Amino acid sequence: MGHIQAVIDEKPELRVVILFDEADNFLDADARDQFQVVEGLRTLMLDTERHFKVVFAGLHNVQRFQGIPNQPLAHFGSPLLVGPLEVTAAQQLVRQPLEILGYRFDDSGTILRILSYTNYHPGLIQLFCHELLKRLQRQQKTISPPYSVTQGDVEAVYLLPQVRDGIRDRFNWTLALDKRYQAIVWAMILEQFDTPGGDAHAYTPAHLLELARYWWPRGFDKVASDQLRSLLNEMEGLGVLVRDASGSYRLRSPNLVHLVGTKTDIEDRLLALSDKEPEEPFDADSHHALLDDKKWQYSPLTYAQERRLNAHKFGVGLIFASEATGSAHLKAAFGRFIPTDLSETKADYREIPSTKRGTELKQWLGQYLNTNRNNYERLILRCSLQGKPEEMLEAVQIAHQVCQRHERSRKRWGRIFFIFEPESTWNWLSLSQKQREAIEDKVDVVTFPRRWNLSGIRQRLRQQNKMDLDGVCRRVLEVTGGWPALLEKLFESCEADNDPRHAAETIEREMGDSNSKLSQDFKRSLGINNVNVAERILKSIKNLQEDGQEVPVDLITPEHIEGSPNLSQDQCNTAIEYLQRMGCIERQGSDLSVESTVLHLI
């Protein structure tokens, strides 16, 4: 890089552009080293005043990296997603080249038919129109233009084997990017075979997760609802799915259903997939951003969660957290969504006044966004939501409606984040399931900080110059359970020691003593002490688990819950969802288990 800098310094008029194609694996490897190479490229771009420029191209992993806020790749410029064209651009791609050659379409419906068959993909449009032109030239009867293009011509081209094969192949190549894409789409298509008018049917995220788990348990048993939404959004960006106003998803082009194969073909593919192990997760997705390099404080959100929350549009995110999962650091984590190279005059990050409710909140939000969206490029609002369930529901609905009225823009966007602490989480979940799911499907993101996994812990150890051998990482994970609160205690204890296992022994000893301050503080931070119903359900799952039984969710019924007063099934279901969002229980398929650290604690 020094040589490039020297040459550009010598020749200021010089421009250098380097294109990195198929960059997914390169970026994945560089992420493990804290983007050292990308940071060097970014520095060179800035030092040469962008006379040197880098462009990365690749598949969905490049898109995933770019969405992570305030890492070097985010400063390379606005990302371009090469997917389906917008309606006007797609119509122009069909119309203009043919009109230049003297052809005219009988009506606009003929063009829309082509776009329907090609799913608005530029490559497929070009393939289709190439075959259409060959047909038109063969049957051209008049000497002088304009020549007519009819729907009959379009239908005849669509029936050509090479056209149908081309459309099918490109669709299958897109699905092959991730086996989970295949499972979701094939399950949707299979269900549509037996549903009248099913090719236009829209599915809620919950229904799609149920379908995917049924056909490929290994691939989806550990996929939470917010992680599935992330996959669905990726598939929307790739042009496979579209999302409607209610938050449900359907196939973008119903015509694809008839091209993918017969019902038997789809069943065979799903059965073959059901025997396969899921692919290794995208490593960088489980890493956490360093918020303060002096205090070594980390974001409770993973890169994957930040990417979903950081979508460049106006929208609402719901975040459920406890002290144990790092709620104290959420304010700083959201601040990362303001690019460091964006001046204060172009960005605003503030808290919504807690006194604003109902009509007042609607007026405040509307006025704030209308006043500031042309002054700022980034608007971030946060609110620690409290109150009665109906009041919280109204606040989220108002925020969603206000954001819906602001158009998407590549240059300006605003995000409204509602933070739910344990008490407000319980109140929110006390809404009827229908009410709650309806609004959660509509908003952009519903998520909750998770415990750190092995990859995230290894990243943290490496970043703080601690031993990061596999056995060391596993020992840290075993003792802390990956809980952010316990990890902070461990790293505070081993500040001057590069071997964290010594601190891990101390944490393990204190957590084994139910009367120790650490044990008591951690139990309080989980958010279960003041929610009697959740605590009773947690102990019931623990008792069944310790008896050696599997604990399917259907087993958690009022008659199996000890204590008084008697619970309803709705209360049992609410408690299960609450404990999942607080990280106290895990769900694999239909089976529940208490997280290991919590299991020993209670």
Side-chain angles (χ1 to χ4, degrees), residues 84-152:
L85 297 173
E86 296 295 331
V87 176
T88 302
Q91 290 177 334
Q92 289 176 344
L93 184 57
V94 173
R95 186 191 302 275
Q96 287 182 353
L98 288 170
E99 286 186 346
I100 289 172
L101 295 174
Y103 294 95
R104 298 292 183 272
F105 288 89
D106 281 356
D107 56 63
S108 58
T110 305
I111 296 178
L112 292 176
R113 184 64 61 92
I114 294 175
L115 299 181
S116 174
Y117 287 146
T118 58
N119 206 20
Y120 290 76
H121 275 282
L124 292 178
I125 292 173
Q126 291 170 344
L127 168 70
F128 195 101
C129 289
H130 175 69
E131 294 296 336
L132 176 61
L133 179 61
K134 286 163 62 176
R135 171 184 169 82
L136 294 172
Q137 289 175 334
R138 284 196 305 268
Q139 66 179 19
Q140 193 170 304
K141 297 178 181 179
T142 58
I143 297 175
S144 58
Y147 312 117
S148 179
V149 184
T150 67
Q151 283 207 16

Side-chain angles (χ1 to χ4, degrees), residues 271-283:
L271 289 173
L273 185 61
S274 67
D275 292 330
K276 294 182 179 179
E277 292 294 331
E279 297 171 347
E280 287 295 318
F282 185 48
D283 202 41

Side-chain angles (χ1 to χ4, degrees), residues 389-499:
E390 294 76 16
E391 292 174 338
M392 292 192 291
L393 176 63
E394 183 183 31
V396 175
Q397 288 174 331
I398 287 171
H400 173 67
Q401 291 166 2
V402 170
C403 285
Q404 286 291 98
R405 289 198 292 270
H406 291 74
E407 76 281 0
R408 297 185 182 188
S409 170
R410 288 179 58 188
K411 292 187 176 180
R412 297 185 180 92
W413 52 267
R415 310 294 286 168
I416 301 175
F417 299 130
F418 289 108
I419 303 169
F420 295 78
E421 298 281 357
E423 182 180 352
S424 53
T425 297
W426 179 259
N427 288 342
W428 175 261
L429 294 174
S430 299
L431 292 165
S432 73
Q433 185 175 355
K434 184 177 180 180
Q435 276 183 310
R436 177 173 56 80
E437 289 183 350
I439 188 62
E440 288 188 355
D441 284 344
K442 286 181 180 179
V443 300
D444 287 337
V445 185
V446 179
T447 193
F448 39 93
R450 288 181 173 77
R451 301 180 302 279
W452 288 51
N453 65 10
L454 197 65
S455 177
I457 289 173
R458 181 177 289 108
Q459 173 227 15
R460 185 166 181 169
L461 287 168
R462 186 176 299 167
Q463 197 168 41
Q464 295 187 227
N465 295 317
K466 309 291 185 187
M467 291 177 61
D468 64 343
L469 299 173
D470 192 60
V472 177
C473 297
R474 292 186 185 280
R475 178 60 175 156
V476 171
L477 179 61
E478 176 189 19
V479 170
T480 65
W483 287 93
L486 293 180
L487 282 171
E488 282 200 7
K489 291 292 183 183
L490 183 141
F491 279 93
E492 285 174 7
S493 301
C494 68
E495 183 177 0
D497 188 351
N498 74 335
D499 186 349

Side-chain angles (χ1 to χ4, degrees), residues 311-545:
H312 290 198
K313 61 179 181 178
F314 285 92
V316 175
L318 312 182
I319 301 92
F320 300 84
S322 67
E323 287 183 42
T325 56
S327 61
H329 298 317
L330 283 173
K331 176 180 176 181
F334 296 148
R336 272 177 40 80
F337 299 164
I338 302 294
T340 54
D341 58 355
L342 200 64
S343 68
E344 292 183 1
T345 59
K346 293 185 178 181
D348 191 36
Y349 174 35
R350 68 173 66 184
E351 187 161 5
I352 298 173
S354 59
T355 56
K356 303 299 180 184
R357 301 286 177 90
T359 303
E360 280 191 357
L361 175 63
K362 186 174 184 178
Q363 292 173 346
W364 188 92
L365 282 175
Q367 183 178 3
Y368 174 82
L369 292 178
N370 285 326
T371 302
N372 294 306
R373 69 185 179 119
N374 291 325
N375 300 331
Y376 296 110
E377 293 182 18
R378 304 287 186 270
L379 298 171
I380 304 290
L381 298 173
R382 71 180 187 279
C383 177
S384 294
L385 207 53
Q386 298 174 351
K388 298 177 181 178
E390 294 76 16
E391 292 174 338
M392 292 192 291
L393 176 63
E394 183 183 31
V396 175
Q397 288 174 331
I398 287 171
H400 173 67
Q401 291 166 2
V402 170
C403 285
Q404 286 291 98
R405 289 198 292 270
H406 291 74
E407 76 281 0
R408 297 185 182 188
S409 170
R410 288 179 58 188
K411 292 187 176 180
R412 297 185 180 92
W413 52 267
R415 310 294 286 168
I416 301 175
F417 299 130
F418 289 108
I419 303 169
F420 295 78
E421 298 281 357
E423 182 180 352
S424 53
T425 297
W426 179 259
N427 288 342
W428 175 261
L429 294 174
S430 299
L431 292 165
S432 73
Q433 185 175 355
K434 184 177 180 180
Q435 276 183 310
R436 177 173 56 80
E437 289 183 350
I439 188 62
E440 288 188 355
D441 284 344
K442 286 181 180 179
V443 300
D444 287 337
V445 185
V446 179
T447 193
F448 39 93
R450 288 181 173 77
R451 301 180 302 279
W452 288 51
N453 65 10
L454 197 65
S455 177
I457 289 173
R458 181 177 289 108
Q459 173 227 15
R460 185 166 181 169
L461 287 168
R462 186 176 299 167
Q463 197 168 41
Q464 295 187 227
N465 295 317
K466 309 291 185 187
M467 291 177 61
D468 64 343
L469 299 173
D470 192 60
V472 177
C473 297
R474 292 186 185 280
R475 178 60 175 156
V476 171
L477 179 61
E478 176 189 19
V479 170
T480 65
W483 287 93
L486 293 180
L487 282 171
E488 282 200 7
K489 291 292 183 183
L490 183 141
F491 279 93
E492 285 174 7
S493 301
C494 68
E495 183 177 0
D497 188 351
N498 74 335
D499 186 349
R501 288 174 293 187
H502 303 138
E505 290 176 5
T506 303
I507 296 286
E508 186 175 47
R509 186 168 54 252
E510 292 186 33
M511 287 295 291
D513 178 3
S514 60
N515 295 317
S516 72
K517 184 177 186 304
L518 178 62
S519 178
Q520 292 291 327
D521 286 349
F522 179 68
K523 186 175 182 181
R524 176 192 53 76
S525 72
L526 291 170
I528 55 176
N529 284 355
N530 298 325
V531 184
N532 177 262
V533 176
E535 194 168 13
R536 288 169 62 187
I537 297 294
L538 183 64
K539 289 180 178 178
S540 296
I541 298 172
K542 168 186 176 290
N543 293 336
L544 291 168
Q545 188 174 332

